[in-house]
Amino acid sequence: MKKRFQRTGVAAGTAGTSDPRLSQSRDVLVYQTVSLIYVFLFAYTGYSKMMDIAPFIKGIGRVPILGSHAAVIGWGIPALELLLALGMVLPSRKLRHNSLKASVALMGAFTAYLLLMIAFVREKLCHCGGVIGSMGWEQHLAFNIIILMLGMWAIRKNN
């Protein structure tokens, strides 16, 4: 009798607890959803920056510490965003997971940049593409923090 309960996920004395398989499948679904959010976000912003690259590079050139490397950064960031988005949709599980980790790290860097801009710079320079670039600074920061936290949670659940 005990084996029958264990097979269904309900061991003796644990009635009322959820089936671990359901919890795992929910975690996988959330992980995949967060990954797709990052895919969409990085594909969208990378593409937007590439389509309007000159103003993006010019804007980076106005950032004191980054200005001397504006062209490399200007081409590098959207290329990296697009590569990471691609990495998260390719069939290799390890590549997808590593791409998500790198995407979360990049989102952390973008969020740190936003925090520094809000705290210390009078003329704020944001070079995000499309709709994201049209957000207010506080909205943009909140958006980044939410996306960053989702990514960190997804990685933690998948390890």
Side-chain angles (χ1 to χ4, degrees):
M1 183 87 162
K2 186 176 180 180
K3 281 188 178 190
R4 190 177 112 219
F5 283 124
Q6 288 175 336
R7 241 182 299 135
T8 62
V10 180
T14 61
T17 59
S18 64
D19 186 342
R21 291 174 295 182
L22 292 176
S23 179
Q24 280 183 326
S25 65
R26 183 182 62 231
D27 289 348
V28 168
L29 179 63
V30 171
Y31 179 85
Q32 291 172 342
T33 302
V34 170
S35 293
L36 286 175
I37 290 169
Y38 271 88
V39 167
F40 175 75
L41 178 65
F42 279 10
Y44 172 72
T45 58
Y47 178 79
S48 294
K49 289 171 189 161
M50 285 283 197
M51 292 298 100
D52 205 15
I53 196 75
F56 180 59
I57 292 172
K58 185 178 178 183
I60 291 171
R62 294 178 22 211
V63 178
I65 297 172
L66 306 176
S68 61
H69 307 288
V72 172
I73 295 169
W75 284 101
I77 288 177
L80 180 59
E81 289 174 325
L82 292 170
L83 282 172
L84 290 173
L86 178 63
M88 285 184 280
V89 296
L90 291 176
S92 167
R93 183 182 185 281
K94 185 174 182 177
L95 178 62
R96 286 193 316 264
H97 188 67
N98 288 336
S99 295
L100 179 61
K101 283 181 176 180
S103 296
V104 171
L106 187 58
M107 182 57 71
F110 291 158
T111 305
Y113 173 81
L114 276 172
L115 279 168
L116 291 171
M117 292 299 282
I118 290 170
F120 299 112
V121 178
R122 200 174 337 164
E123 182 187 351
K124 297 178 178 40
L125 304 169
C126 177
H127 311 291
C128 293
V131 175
I132 295 167
S134 67
M135 291 181 181
W137 285 93
E138 288 75 21
Q139 293 169 321
H140 195 159
L141 182 61
F143 176 81
N144 276 29
I145 290 170
I146 290 167
I147 297 297
L148 180 61
M149 299 299 281
L150 282 171
M152 291 168 54
W153 182 83
I155 290 168
R156 184 169 173 241
K157 280 293 196 179
N158 196 290
N159 282 334

